[in-house]
Amino acid sequence: MKNIVVALSGGVDSSYTAYTLKNLGFNVSGVYMKLHNRENYHDKNIENVKRVADFLGIEADVLDFSDKFNEAVFTPFINTYKSGKTPNPCALCNRYIKLGALLDYAKSKNAMLASGHYAQIENNMLKKALDLSKDQTYFLANVDKQSLNSVIFPLGNKYKKDIKEQALKIPQLKAISEQKESSEICFVSTAYTDILKDYVKVNNPGVVKDVDGKIVGKHDGYMHYTIGKRRGFSVNGAHEAHFVLKIDAEKNELIVGKKQDLEVSEFKLENINSFVDFNDSIECEVKIRYNTTAVKCRLYKDKSVKLEQKVFALAAGQLAVFYQGDFVVASGFIKE
């Protein structure tokens, strides 16, 4: 009988994952991870986890990974915003916490790790979920390829609507399946600036410049803005929309321009994470944000990317994920 540790969040996906694996005859145990001290966040989740564990007759531990999370995810989140870039904390969390520290814990128990992620693993490669509307390969694309040897995603070949339907028929999972699901960053309860203000000066008025370097308006502090934003700053005498093109954190300045000024046909990466070997370059498709359509491109060994068609609002700090068909071939953080 194979030992499997299931990452339990208190939500329907992870609960149904544990239910499925238990019914398949695996030796299942659960783990809830405390990653932060956000007020009133953990109590209800842990209550749900214990209820599911009692129903399935399994053990469920609560592990405090907050120190590791602070080091690998939260501090980089703060520092990335300070530098004028847009962070992607979920990508870091999946690599260093969920398929990092938690996977190490599972291995110490001589177990595989399972989670409720909507993704598939085939030939030790990340593959898009059957339910493309819930596919999470974008956020998993930064993980160490070797970690995939010890991980399973039981929901990857299922549709979310079917999971909800089945869970509603199970009395012990019904209440969990009916609760509102969160799509926010777990440690952010309202706006990300509410988190930042405890660490840096967020409300710090500065000037807005056009592409020629002329001062044309004012803003409330560069941390309120991301590339492509079109509101919350003034442009004197403007009769059409202006968008944030660049953030100069050092000078606390925004550079703004017209929508066409946001078009990008090539960019650079840092920290490439490759799932395949290639020589000089590779033809693929890239997603520059989670909710975007993939664009055909060529990824080069020198960490440059050339696009077949232009994209808008490329944000430094975000993860670019490269696909061939349904498979993730690489990822990297956008540098410029």
Side-chain angles (χ1 to χ4, degrees):
M1 185 183 295
K2 186 175 287 186
N3 300 325
I4 299 181
V5 170
V6 179
L8 293 173
S9 67
V12 65
D13 292 330
S14 62
S15 299
Y16 193 82
T17 295
Y19 170 79
T20 299
L21 293 171
K22 176 74 173 179
N23 283 350
L24 289 172
F26 293 108
N27 183 27
V28 175
S29 60
V31 168
Y32 178 84
M33 295 180 292
K34 291 186 78 172
L35 304 180
H36 51 79
N37 296 313
R38 179 176 149 192
E39 193 175 356
N40 301 323
Y41 182 86
H42 298 295
D43 292 348
K44 178 66 175 177
N45 293 335
I46 292 174
E47 183 184 317
N48 285 348
V49 166
K50 288 181 176 177
R51 185 182 298 124
V52 170
D54 289 343
F55 162 53
L56 297 178
I58 65 173
E59 290 185 10
D61 293 328
V62 176
L63 300 182
D64 190 338
F65 285 149
S66 55
D67 287 346
K68 178 69 175 175
F69 183 84
N70 184 66
E71 173 195 340
V73 181
F74 185 76
T75 298
F77 171 85
I78 299 294
N79 289 339
T80 301
Y81 268 122
K82 283 172 70 174
S83 69
K85 298 180 179 181
T86 306
N88 197 315
C90 296
L92 295 179
C93 186
N94 280 325
R95 181 181 180 99
Y96 295 111
I97 308 298
K98 293 177 182 175
L99 271 66
L102 183 58
L103 179 56
D104 289 341
Y105 169 83
K107 287 179 177 178
S108 76
K109 300 289 186 182
N110 194 30
M112 298 278 287
L113 175 66
S115 75
H117 281 98
Y118 283 85
Q120 300 183 78
I121 299 172
E122 190 174 304
N123 298 323
N124 204 39
M125 293 278 289
L126 273 175
K127 183 181 179 183
K128 290 178 184 177
L130 181 64
D131 189 344
L132 292 177
S133 70
K134 293 295 179 181
D135 176 59
Q136 291 174 295
T137 52
Y138 174 87
F139 294 110
L140 288 162
N142 186 45
V143 303
D144 185 340
K145 182 181 178 181
Q146 296 308 311
S147 68
L148 300 179
N149 290 317
S150 307
V151 176
I152 53 175
F153 300 132
L155 306 189
N157 62 351
K158 297 175 173 61
Y159 286 95
K160 176 67 180 240
K161 62 179 179 61
D162 294 334
I163 301 297
K164 292 271 284 187
E165 226 171 73
Q166 292 300 314
L168 284 168
K169 296 176 183 176
I170 303 166
Q172 295 85 347
L173 300 184
K174 187 173 185 290
I176 294 174
S177 65
E178 289 175 333
Q179 69 187 17
K180 184 181 178 183
E181 292 187 55
S182 172
S183 58
E184 63 187 19
I185 298 171
C186 67
F187 56 86
V188 176
S189 57
T190 50
Y192 70 89
T193 48
D194 290 335
I195 299 290
L196 293 174
K197 69 184 181 184
D198 292 333
Y199 300 88
V200 290
K201 188 176 182 181
V202 172
N203 297 317
N204 186 25
V207 300
V208 174
K209 292 183 176 181
D210 63 17
V211 291
D212 297 319
K214 179 184 174 184
I215 295 176
V216 294
K218 297 177 181 178
H219 65 79
D220 297 325
Y222 75 89
M223 286 194 190
H224 288 284
Y225 308 91
T226 54
I227 303 301
K229 190 167 182 177
R230 57 176 291 186
R231 292 185 175 87
F233 55 88
S234 67
V235 177
N236 302 329
H239 297 292
E240 54 185 304
H242 281 68
F243 301 81
V244 176
L245 307 179
K246 185 179 177 182
I247 298 169
D248 189 327
E250 198 172 315
K251 296 179 180 178
N252 188 32
E253 294 178 353
L254 301 184
I255 292 83
V256 302
K258 308 295 176 56
K259 187 175 182 180
Q260 59 266 29
D261 295 326
L262 283 170
E263 291 183 334
V264 172
S265 58
E266 57 185 85
F267 59 93
K268 287 276 193 180
L269 298 169
E270 53 189 351
N271 301 327
I272 287 185
N273 184 44
S274 185
F275 290 85
V276 298
D277 295 323
F278 60 96
N279 295 320
D280 176 62
S281 65
I282 183 173
E283 283 190 7
C284 44
E285 295 182 318
V286 63
K287 291 182 73 169
I288 61 164
R289 286 184 300 278
Y290 174 58
N291 282 319
T292 55
T293 303
V295 174
K296 287 184 178 180
C297 69
R298 183 170 285 275
L299 169 63
Y300 292 86
K301 273 282 192 188
D302 68 358
K303 302 180 183 178
S304 63
V305 182
K306 293 188 177 178
L307 305 168
E308 283 196 13
Q309 64 187 77
K310 293 180 178 180
V311 296
F312 284 91
L314 189 82
Q318 281 288 288
L319 192 67
V321 178
F322 301 86
Y323 294 86
Q324 282 186 335
D326 289 337
F327 290 91
V328 175
V329 294
S331 71
F333 290 93
I334 298 166
K335 185 177 182 181
E336 56 185 79

